[in-house]
Amino acid sequence: MTNLPAYERDPRLRELDVEVLATGDEGGRAWVRLSDTVLYPEGGGQPADRGWLGEVPVEDVQRRDGDVRHYLAGPVSPGPARLRLDWARRFDHMQQHTAQHLLSALAADRFGWETTSFHLGPATCDVELGVAALPAAVLAQLEEAIAAAVREALPVSTRRVPENALASLAVRSRGLPAGHVGDVRLVEIAGLDLNTCGGTHLASTAEIECVKLLGSEPMRGGTRLQWVAGGRVRTRLAAHEARTESLRRTLEAADDELVAVAAARIAQLRDAERLRRRLDERLADAEVARLLAAAPTGAFVDAHFDDADGSFLQRVSSGFAAGPGTALALLTAQTGDAAFFALAAQGGATVDLKALGVRAAAALAGRGGGSGRLYQGKAGSLAGRAALVEELAGLQRA
């Protein structure tokens, strides 16, 4: 028991004088082995702690071959040093991990849903439960049960027992780590849960503050349930309030009107978009008529359209190519930073359109493709357009 690391002896210890016993490099990352540590190494679904060795940031902590390696932002020398813990990160992890024990115990005891996995993410946490679906009403019951246990301020404690003692204890466990030897660490929520776990936890369920279940989705035959606890609830609520305030100002509506007003605005935008597309189609058809009228037999035609996209250009080029003559057209368009080009050959034109298209794409620093009487694509630049027009007009005259 005396050989336990400091993070297990006292999970609230934030600083520690240590000795740098060994140093090394792993894949370009400097690492050290210390005489003791207040930093928890990743494991059991809980991410590694962060901190500082002297003034050098500790970026990761991992178990390696029975030791704990601290990966640093830069190398340090062997000898004495001061190790400091990023306490805000640690306390957040303690809140989330203790909340997971509470959630999993209640899900199993009250509803019969066993936890099959746990993930503590940077913004939200999730557990996978052995249940096919979680209706909203049932989730509300689970959330209320969790809240009641938080209000009870149940003590949370840890202890180690010999592995052969587990059979006589009502211990929940998803199994010990591969290769585990020696005593087993237990985390207990008084009167509610006894679980094998090596992570860091709070001293009371009251320190969890609150738990908010966010939603669920099917996962591997069970259900993944997402949630946040403690300070993350307050952070999330503050972000929601800030967004709501922005929406109130933007939509000029009260909270209870936001969804309806936003839906109405979206419907208006969709109507406007449909009208815009119809007008674009009419304009494209008018441009086709204009180009056909200006294209005598065997002519070369070029046209450029500002504030037009690829779909507009495709409609114009398709309409031109459907003409009965022998004309060839180079059509370009640009909207914002995006530029487009198309080569369209009428039915009677005797040109190798694919070869001309490849030359046009190269001249416009773009790429494209086509078949039949159309070759179209995106242009990287229209700076070479004038020279391309001159080249194509010369070929058509020849």
Side-chain angles (χ1 to χ4, degrees):
M1 295 292 185
T2 57
N3 293 326
L4 296 178
Y7 66 77
E8 184 171 338
R9 298 196 304 270
D10 181 3
R12 293 178 183 271
L13 187 63
R14 307 184 190 191
E15 297 188 9
L16 185 68
D17 288 320
V18 298
E19 191 82 12
V20 178
L21 302 178
T23 65
D25 181 275
E26 182 183 313
R29 293 195 301 170
W31 61 264
V32 297
R33 180 165 57 86
L34 305 176
S35 57
D36 198 356
T37 183
V38 292
L39 303 188
Y40 176 77
E42 181 179 12
Q46 181 173 325
D49 283 332
R50 300 289 185 268
W52 300 264
L53 185 62
E55 298 305 317
V56 179
V58 180
E59 298 179 336
D60 195 10
V61 189
Q62 298 289 332
R63 291 180 175 87
R64 291 285 189 272
D65 302 323
D67 288 328
V68 174
R69 284 189 180 181
H70 298 68
Y71 295 88
L72 311 178
V76 298
S77 300
R82 186 71 170 173
L83 181 64
R84 293 180 291 126
L85 168 69
D86 182 341
W87 171 248
R89 175 185 171 89
R90 158 70 70 78
F91 188 71
D92 168 62
H93 290 174
M94 291 166 70
Q95 285 190 313
Q96 310 311 312
H97 203 158
T98 308
Q100 180 266 315
H101 280 242
L102 181 59
L103 185 161
S104 292
L106 291 169
D109 293 345
R110 303 284 181 88
F111 302 94
W113 312 327
E114 296 297 331
T115 295
T116 58
S117 72
F118 161 53
H119 172 242
L120 198 167
T124 64
C125 301
D126 62 79
V127 291
E128 289 186 28
L129 301 174
V131 59
L134 290 175
V138 179
L139 280 181
Q141 294 175 26
L142 175 59
E143 186 173 281
E144 181 52 42
I146 295 169
V150 169
R151 291 192 296 269
E152 287 184 56
L154 301 172
V156 180
S157 60
T158 64
R159 67 180 187 271
R160 284 184 171 269
V161 300
E163 186 174 349
N164 59 16
L166 292 180
S168 63
L169 299 171
V171 177
R172 299 181 214 269
S173 178
R174 295 197 300 274
L176 298 177
H180 175 84
V181 294
D183 292 341
V184 177
R185 186 169 183 265
L186 302 180
V187 176
E188 182 172 15
I189 301 177
L192 187 63
D193 186 48
L194 183 63
N195 213 314
T196 58
C197 185
T200 56
H201 299 81
L202 305 169
S204 164
T205 59
E207 291 185 300
I208 295 174
E209 300 179 32
C210 58
V211 176
K212 179 59 185 173
L213 306 182
L214 303 177
S216 62
E217 60 181 340
M219 179 67 62
R220 289 184 281 268
T223 298
R224 183 169 68 180
L225 174 62
Q226 291 187 318
W227 47 275
V228 288
R232 294 192 184 192
V233 178
R234 289 180 278 110
T235 298
R236 194 176 184 90
L237 178 60
H240 282 319
E241 285 300 314
R243 281 191 293 270
T244 301
E245 174 59 25
S246 295
L247 286 171
R248 281 195 292 264
R249 290 195 302 267
T250 301
L251 298 177
E252 298 179 337
D255 285 5
D256 58 354
E257 298 173 335
L258 287 175
V259 173
V261 171
R265 298 284 179 87
I266 291 172
Q268 292 172 357
L269 288 173
R270 287 173 177 164
D271 289 342
E273 177 61 19
R274 283 192 289 268
L275 176 60
R276 185 196 67 79
R277 285 198 298 267
R278 289 197 297 269
L279 292 175
D280 274 356
E281 290 169 358
R282 293 178 186 176
L283 179 59
D285 292 343
E287 289 294 342
V288 170
R290 180 182 68 82
L291 292 174
L292 290 175
T297 299
F300 170 74
V301 177
D302 81 280
H304 176 75
F305 307 99
D306 282 321
D307 300 321
D309 59 15
S311 61
F312 179 90
L313 198 66
Q314 183 179 34
R315 188 176 181 94
V316 175
S317 57
S318 297
F320 183 86
T326 59
L328 174 69
L330 170 67
L331 308 174
T332 57
Q334 186 159 12
T335 176
D337 294 331
F340 309 89
F341 74 93
L343 281 176
Q346 292 182 331
T350 56
V351 295
D352 186 346
L353 190 65
K354 184 175 181 179
L356 293 180
V358 171
R359 292 168 68 175
L364 300 177
R367 56 190 303 178
S371 60
R373 290 182 281 167
L374 286 177
Y375 190 101
Q376 54 197 337
K378 288 188 175 181
S381 170
L382 297 180
R385 187 182 187 282
L388 177 62
V389 167
E390 184 175 347
E391 177 186 356
L392 292 175
L395 290 173
Q396 188 72 351
R397 287 194 298 268

